[in-house]
Amino acid sequence: MEDYNKIIESLGVKFVKARHIRILQPITIKNFYDVQNSLTILYDGEVSFGSDEPQRVEEGDMLFIPGGKHATVTYGNGASAKTVSNEEFMTNRDNYIEAGHDPALIGKLPNSFGLISFEAKVFDTVNFFTSLDVPPFLIKRDDQIAATINQILTEDMLDTPGKGRIIKIKTEEVVIEIIRYILKNKLFVEQLVTNSTYFKDPRLIDIFAYIKDNLGGDLSNKVLANVANVSEDYVGQYFKMLTGINPQDYIEYQRMEKAVDLLRTSKKSIRAIGSDVGYKDTAYFCRRFKMMFGIPAGKMRRRESLMNV
């Protein structure tokens, strides 16, 4: 347990968004994907996830989807839901959902749910839940987490002094409670034991930090080997042995994650964003972006994110 306390202390948590959503008509979204973690609490109606044997979210339960994980999600009655791609949904989402802005109505509308999105990074460099290979999962009714989500939604809708600070504190509480829920219910034991070990290796943490600070530069195995003080021939094996993925795949994910952030928060051109994250060929950057997220970079900019309505 002491190891998990150290990991929690090292986590950098960043609030991204909060939404109170009403479902206008049933829809199944194939390959839902976002770089941030999302936590959805069902207030009324139906939500389910999974493609082969969908698991139903009961009212009061919460669906947690780690950033970087693909999932099939159904909002509304699955039997009558229209199946669409992530791109199609983002283009026409106003037909399927609408956002509420009255805090007095949180949890009181028919066919509605609350959603918060956030980052959780160890040493502000590596996504915690994604790195542990935690899949989307259900959190059964938990009044404490539910109350905290409602507080975040309320604060986000109001323009009161200190709202940013309150939201930051409450988002950190949510992250800790999710980790506690995983440990208390002994979920993903094998993943946690196998994948949490690399947080203890300072050389790997140095590599993570270097990658984060140099996404637009040379991140070849030769450079990473110098950072970790290991041989160029060994660094790829070393990285994969501790993380389960090769370093260049990890680097591409980090570059694309940064690209999404820039698309959502800056007015830079797509060419400039691609260059900033290490892609000198804009066409190649756009191809890789669509392959990873299922939508073009320009559409990600226009629509920003799945639930940002």
Side-chain angles (χ1 to χ4, degrees), residues 92-303:
N92 302 293
R93 63 185 174 190
D94 291 346
N95 296 330
Y96 305 108
I97 61 173
E98 68 175 5
H101 303 284
D102 185 349
L105 297 179
I106 294 174
K108 297 178 181 178
L109 295 177
N111 298 310
S112 67
F113 60 91
L115 176 140
I116 63 170
S117 178
F118 56 88
E119 294 179 355
K121 294 186 175 182
V122 180
F123 302 113
D124 287 324
T125 59
V126 57
N127 292 310
F128 175 68
F129 295 104
T130 307
S131 67
L132 295 179
D133 199 28
V134 171
F137 70 94
L138 193 62
I139 297 176
K140 301 301 292 181
R141 182 182 291 269
D142 186 302
D143 292 339
Q144 183 168 348
I145 300 179
T148 306
I149 292 174
N150 290 349
Q151 288 176 306
I152 293 172
L153 289 169
T154 300
E155 288 287 340
D156 193 57
M157 291 180 187
L158 299 175
D159 187 19
T160 53
K163 64 177 282 185
R165 185 68 179 271
I166 293 294
I167 289 174
K168 180 180 185 297
I169 292 170
K170 295 299 178 182
T171 305
E172 289 177 345
E173 288 182 14
V174 167
V175 172
I176 292 171
E177 290 300 331
I178 292 172
I179 296 172
R180 286 178 173 178
Y181 185 90
I182 290 172
L183 297 176
K184 178 182 177 181
N185 292 278
K186 296 181 172 57
L187 302 177
F188 321 120
V189 174
E190 185 175 343
Q191 290 100 313
L192 292 178
V193 171
T194 302
N195 297 326
S196 64
T197 54
Y198 69 77
F199 293 131
K200 306 169 189 175
D201 192 311
R203 292 180 300 175
L204 191 61
I205 297 302
D206 287 343
I207 291 178
F208 286 144
Y210 186 86
I211 290 171
K212 177 189 176 184
D213 293 337
N214 296 276
L215 287 175
D218 181 3
L219 293 175
S220 62
N221 280 7
K222 181 178 180 180
V223 171
L224 299 184
N226 289 333
V227 172
N229 196 27
V230 297
S231 72
E232 182 180 352
D233 292 337
Y234 177 65
V235 70
Q237 178 185 343
Y238 162 75
F239 190 97
K240 187 170 184 178
M241 177 178 64
L242 292 177
T243 67
I245 59 174
N246 71 59
Q248 296 308 314
D249 286 344
Y250 173 81
I251 289 166
E252 180 170 54
Y253 177 80
Q254 294 303 310
R255 283 174 162 160
M256 290 300 179
E257 183 184 60
K258 180 62 177 179
V260 170
D261 181 63
L262 290 171
L263 285 166
R264 292 173 173 173
T265 60
S266 78
K267 294 182 179 180
K268 289 185 175 183
S269 68
I270 291 175
R271 178 187 296 274
I273 290 173
S275 178
D276 283 352
V277 298
Y279 292 87
K280 306 310 177 187
D281 184 334
T282 304
Y284 179 71
F285 165 68
C286 289
R287 287 197 302 272
R288 295 301 299 171
F289 189 97
K290 185 172 183 181
M291 184 176 294
M292 181 169 289
F293 298 113
I295 62 171
K299 190 165 291 185
M300 175 71 81
R301 158 161 280 165
R302 289 194 298 271
R303 295 298 181 176

